[in-house]
């Protein structure tokens, strides 16, 4: 089974759960926009998509690996993308002209990725070459940026037909996570015209959940950057995919606002001003705060750029 970690900030263990904080440092370069509720809702919606797409990719890979006589030479590129009637997961090759030739295909209902099943190639709904082109360009750029080859793409088809590709660091060890190292790309519908490439975190580092020689757990570290003023969809999707990580706290130090993310997809906004505190539930409603008192620690003093 493939594992797709997305967590990209510090991890602090308290009891049985994990909490992590991304800290925005003080100074003249620290001015970034504080997200409003509309932006936080966008983060939740996109995080849910990342969660669904990753699950679809995981189930497709599981089904692929039990196929008889796999021809791995025909599986240079892979991706999972939705069409109107379901998730499509494809493995194949891309030639120099940018034409994608699928070798294996799988399909699942949009609302039940676990039902991923092999699909005859002649039943594919059209050409997937634009998606494959965007995925290849994105993955090569991410390998160059972070110098790791174990990465996973998530493709989102925008309303105007543009293709957004998230490339996330991967791992084959469920107890070892590679944090950060994520980039968001956007292309025109042809998969060739790159409109943007946004580096979501500066670096990537490894964190192990394995106990130490004397049974001790990793105690965590703080990592800061000035790229964004609030939580990211890749961060929230991590907790949804890996609830054993516990929770994630993103701290906006200059405004003293903290965003407490939980595996159910909720975002709790914590502030020194009680009237600004609220919970954005994943169903689109608001709810009361529900967390331990120590869940939003003050910004740590030691910081490492991530």
């Amino acid at each position: 089974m493939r594992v797709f970690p997305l967590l990209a900030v510090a991890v602090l263990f308290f009891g049985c759960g994990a909490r992590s904080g991304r800290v925005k440092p003080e100074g003249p370069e620290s001015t970034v926009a504080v997200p409003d509720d509309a932006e936080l809702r966008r983060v939740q919606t996109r995080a849910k998509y990342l969660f669904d797409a990753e699950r679809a990719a995981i189930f497709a890979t599981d089904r692929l690996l039990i196929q008889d006589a796999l021809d791995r030479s025909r599986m240079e590129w892979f991706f999972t993308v939705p069409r109107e009637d379901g998730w499509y997961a494809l493995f194949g090759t891309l030639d120099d002209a940018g034409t994608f030739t699928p070798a294996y295909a799988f399909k699942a209902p949009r609302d039940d990725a676990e039902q991923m099943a092999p699909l005859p190639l002649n039943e594919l709904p059209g050409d997937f070459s634009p998606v494959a082109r965007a995925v290849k360009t994105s993955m090569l750029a991410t390998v160059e940026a972070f110098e790791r080859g174990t990465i996973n793409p998530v493709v989102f088809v925008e309303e105007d037909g543009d293709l957004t590709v998230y490339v996330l660091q991967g791992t084959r060890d469920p107890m070892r996570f590679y944090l950060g190292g994520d980039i968001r790309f956007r292309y025109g519908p042809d998969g060739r015209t790159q409109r943007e490439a946004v580096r979501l975190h500066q670096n990537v580092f490894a964190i192990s959940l394995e106990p130490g020689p004397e049974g001790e757990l990793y105690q965590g570290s703080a990592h800061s950057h000035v790229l964004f003023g609030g939580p990211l969809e890749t961060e929230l999707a991590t907790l949804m995919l890996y609830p054993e990580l516990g929770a994630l706290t993103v701290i906006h130090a200059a405004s003293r606002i903290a965003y407490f993310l939980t595996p159910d997809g909720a975002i709790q906004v914590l502030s020194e001003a009680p009237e600004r505190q609220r919970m954005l539930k994943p169903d689109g409603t608001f709810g009361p705060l529900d967390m331990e008192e120590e869940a939003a620690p003050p910004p740590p003093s030691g910081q490492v750029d991530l």
Side-chain angles (χ1 to χ4, degrees):
M1 177 175 176
R2 283 197 302 161
V3 182
F4 303 89
L6 310 176
L7 186 61
V9 284
V11 178
L12 309 174
F13 284 87
F14 296 86
C16 64
R19 296 183 178 84
S20 58
R22 187 181 69 238
V23 183
K24 176 180 168 300
E26 307 280 356
E29 297 181 355
S30 66
T31 301
V32 294
V34 176
D36 58 14
D37 285 352
E39 171 60 15
L40 295 177
R41 291 298 189 195
R42 186 203 66 80
V43 168
Q44 287 180 311
T45 300
R46 192 59 64 95
K48 179 60 166 59
Y49 178 88
L50 291 171
F51 172 79
D52 290 340
E54 290 286 53
R55 279 174 48 82
I58 289 170
F59 290 123
T61 303
D62 287 347
R63 305 296 186 268
L64 174 76
L65 295 178
I66 62 175
Q67 299 291 305
D68 294 330
L70 282 179
D71 184 353
R72 296 182 181 275
S73 67
R74 300 169 60 207
M75 298 189 296
E76 183 180 10
W77 302 104
F78 68 94
F79 52 85
T80 302
V81 65
R83 293 282 171 98
E84 290 78 5
D85 58 343
W87 290 104
Y88 288 83
L90 288 88
F91 302 79
T93 58
L94 190 69
D95 65 21
D96 292 341
T99 300
F100 179 69
T101 301
Y104 302 94
F106 300 84
K107 181 183 177 183
R110 283 293 298 271
D111 60 352
D112 192 0
E114 192 169 356
Q115 299 305 312
M116 191 70 69
L119 180 71
L121 298 180
N122 61 4
E123 294 184 16
L124 286 172
D127 182 21
F128 287 81
S129 294
V131 175
R133 290 192 288 264
V135 165
K136 177 181 178 179
T137 301
S138 301
M139 294 184 74
L140 291 177
T142 304
V143 169
E144 182 178 1
F146 297 108
E147 299 181 345
R148 286 197 74 246
T150 306
I151 54 177
N152 304 299
V154 175
V155 180
F156 184 89
V157 182
E158 304 287 351
E159 291 184 358
D160 60 2
D162 277 6
L163 302 173
T164 294
V165 180
Y166 293 84
V167 183
L168 313 164
Q169 297 297 314
T171 180
R172 295 182 176 87
D173 183 347
M175 296 298 290
R176 187 174 181 83
F177 297 89
Y178 291 87
L179 313 180
D182 45 355
I183 303 179
R184 184 185 70 237
F185 301 84
R186 183 160 178 157
Y187 301 84
D190 61 0
R192 300 181 190 273
T193 306
Q194 186 177 112
R195 306 199 193 283
E196 67 173 12
V198 180
R199 191 161 172 155
L200 301 180
H201 295 89
Q202 294 287 25
N203 299 309
V204 58
F205 72 99
I207 178 172
S208 175
L209 300 186
E210 292 282 1
E214 300 181 2
E216 70 275 14
L217 294 176
Y218 176 76
Q219 293 300 308
S221 60
H223 302 268
S224 66
H225 63 67
V226 295
L227 301 181
F228 302 96
L232 298 174
E233 52 264 38
T234 52
E235 295 166 345
L236 182 55
T238 299
L239 298 178
M240 298 170 68
L241 286 164
Y242 307 104
E244 64 271 23
L245 291 172
L248 166 68
T249 304
V250 177
I251 303 173
H252 190 298
S255 65
R256 308 301 298 177
I257 296 175
Y259 304 90
F260 186 74
L261 316 183
T262 51
D264 63 355
I267 299 176
Q268 302 188 47
V269 182
L270 310 174
S271 171
E272 294 177 344
E275 67 275 8
R276 300 181 65 183
Q277 297 193 140
R278 59 203 183 278
M279 176 196 284
L280 287 76
K281 299 171 66 175
D283 63 2
T285 63
F286 292 88
L289 298 182
D290 179 20
M291 57 184 299
E292 301 174 24
E293 292 181 359
E294 76 274 21
S301 58
Q303 300 175 5
V304 180
D305 285 339
L306 178 61

